[in-house]
Amino acid sequence: MSRPIIATINQKALKHNLSIVRSIVPKLKIWSVIKANAYGHGINNIWSLSDTDGFALLSLEEAIMLRQHGWKKPILLLEGFFHVKDLYLISRYNLTTVIHSHWQIKALENTVLLNPVSIYLKINSGMNRLGFEQKSFNKILYKLNFLKNIRDITLMMHIGNNDNSDNINYFDRIKKSIKGKDYLCSISNSACVLWNSDVHYDWVRVGILLYGASPSGNWSDIANINLQPAMTLSSKIIGIQKLRLGDTIGYGSSYIAKKRQRIGIVACGYADGYPRHAPNGTPLLVDGNITQLLGTVSMDMITIDLTNCPQTCIGSSVELWGNTIKIDQVAKAAGTVSYELMCSLAPRVPLNIIC
């Protein structure tokens, strides 16, 4: 028999969460962000999101795979293309590409394409990752309008701080400075969709909300929105130990028993994607009872408190995160974010798909 850990991917939850986003921005178009292997949920498991207006990702290979599986709606390459030759595939498969660098513009000028491509022209919001500065933006935009390889242009910016009004004002200034044409715009990520309607514009780009977690990292911030976790990580008790006063647990003896105590050993560790730095007290669910992590997370096992779980035995079910133990709660306890936990799910963890 296989090791008992399993990740359940709920496609119905993905579809439900998309409908929640749609209810918040009913008049806008939605990019469903499926980068990082659909945030760890599996690029092949996102088809319940078929009501979306488009998929946004990084990998050209994954974009082509979507086309080969029959996806005909828009696909956005969020980091654009990395090699000049990529443009031939972007044109062939009718993909939309972000443009953020001068060398990409030069490639568009000098390459002979069968069909023109749609582009998202990226503005540097102040995060100083990708995008053009305001002082050169209008000149670049003017030039791109005359390139025969470009079908249409959408203006794009990524906001790193939802409550940073300077970012928003910055984009507004650029947009107002453009004369003679009204461009479609895409600024909003998941946080802006929820908490900043001023920048919704035409297309929103939604990631973490689709998977049922909070863009702020605090589940309480989205508890009333009725999102459903799309991933549940679960395992089982594979061993039970009885501790005496002063007994220790695991590597480094990071937990010392202050009384007689019953503990359970769970088949789950950092090699499965559970956060290695999760501290004592990180919540888990055992047989319907909320309990806590004890001791250091090891490669293949964790240890949990069974003091208030007298009926728990070997083979009892454990929810690491899911419907009751929110992934945001585990991430916050471990000093990280739910994005990282989702993306860190290890290939050795088998998937159970709920359609």
Side-chain angles (χ1 to χ4, degrees), residues 247-274:
D247 282 349
T248 62
I249 293 175
Y251 293 109
S253 301
S254 62
Y255 180 81
I256 302 173
K258 298 179 176 59
K259 59 182 179 180
R260 295 177 67 87
Q261 198 167 6
R262 186 166 174 261
I263 62 171
I265 316 304
V266 183
C268 175
Y270 61 77
D272 299 299
Y274 196 81

Side-chain angles (χ1 to χ4, degrees), residues 75-294:
I75 300 174
L76 175 64
L77 297 171
L78 287 166
E79 288 183 350
F81 56 93
F82 305 100
H83 307 281
V84 174
K85 64 182 180 180
D86 294 343
L87 276 172
Y88 299 108
L89 293 172
I90 290 170
S91 173
R92 176 182 172 184
Y93 287 99
N94 190 25
L95 308 177
T96 302
T97 180
V98 168
I99 299 296
H100 56 77
S101 297
H102 288 283
W103 78 264
Q104 292 174 321
I105 295 175
K106 188 175 181 180
L108 281 166
E109 283 184 282
N110 298 329
T111 305
V112 179
L113 298 178
L114 213 57
N115 301 300
V117 300
S118 297
I119 70 166
Y120 267 47
L121 187 59
K122 190 161 191 177
I123 302 164
N124 182 355
S125 67
M127 291 183 73
N128 292 308
R129 301 193 308 179
L130 301 178
F132 298 100
E133 300 293 337
Q134 180 180 4
K135 61 183 179 181
S136 60
F137 190 80
N138 280 15
K139 184 177 179 180
I140 291 168
L141 181 60
Y142 180 81
K143 179 179 181 178
L144 292 178
N145 274 290
F146 292 96
L147 295 189
K148 61 182 180 180
N149 280 336
I150 295 177
R151 178 186 297 119
D152 52 65
I153 302 171
T154 299
L155 307 185
M156 175 191 192
M157 192 170 78
H158 186 71
I159 295 178
N161 303 306
N162 175 57
D163 57 355
N164 190 336
S165 59
D166 289 342
N167 289 154
I168 299 163
N169 293 335
Y170 177 55
F171 184 84
D172 284 340
R173 288 196 303 270
I174 291 177
K175 195 169 187 301
K176 289 176 182 177
S177 72
I178 299 169
K179 307 299 181 183
K181 190 173 181 180
D182 190 20
Y183 293 89
L184 296 179
C185 300
S186 176
I187 293 183
S188 289
N189 55 15
S190 288
C192 289
V193 164
L194 292 181
W195 302 310
N196 202 329
S197 60
D198 290 342
V199 294
H200 282 176
Y201 288 104
D202 305 287
W203 281 83
V204 299
R205 307 187 304 274
V206 182
I208 198 68
L209 291 180
L210 296 176
Y211 307 101
S214 174
S216 71
N218 295 312
W219 172 257
S220 60
D221 291 340
I222 62 168
N224 63 344
I225 301 175
N226 194 30
L227 295 174
Q228 298 175 3
M231 177 192 292
T232 296
L233 183 63
S234 58
S235 189
K236 292 184 177 181
I237 301 287
I238 60 172
I240 292 177
Q241 299 287 346
K242 294 181 179 179
L243 303 185
R244 297 166 295 182
L245 175 67
D247 282 349
T248 62
I249 293 175
Y251 293 109
S253 301
S254 62
Y255 180 81
I256 302 173
K258 298 179 176 59
K259 59 182 179 180
R260 295 177 67 87
Q261 198 167 6
R262 186 166 174 261
I263 62 171
I265 316 304
V266 183
C268 175
Y270 61 77
D272 299 299
Y274 196 81
R276 181 177 177 273
H277 298 292
N280 293 325
T282 301
L284 305 99
L285 187 75
V286 184
D287 283 342
N289 299 302
I290 295 177
T291 186
Q292 60 182 336
L293 177 74
L294 299 177

Side-chain angles (χ1 to χ4, degrees), residues 31-51:
W31 289 113
S32 290
V33 181
I34 55 171
K35 61 182 180 177
N37 197 26
Y39 286 47
H41 293 67
I43 195 74
N44 291 312
N45 300 321
I46 48 79
W47 296 111
S48 61
L49 294 172
S50 59
D51 289 340

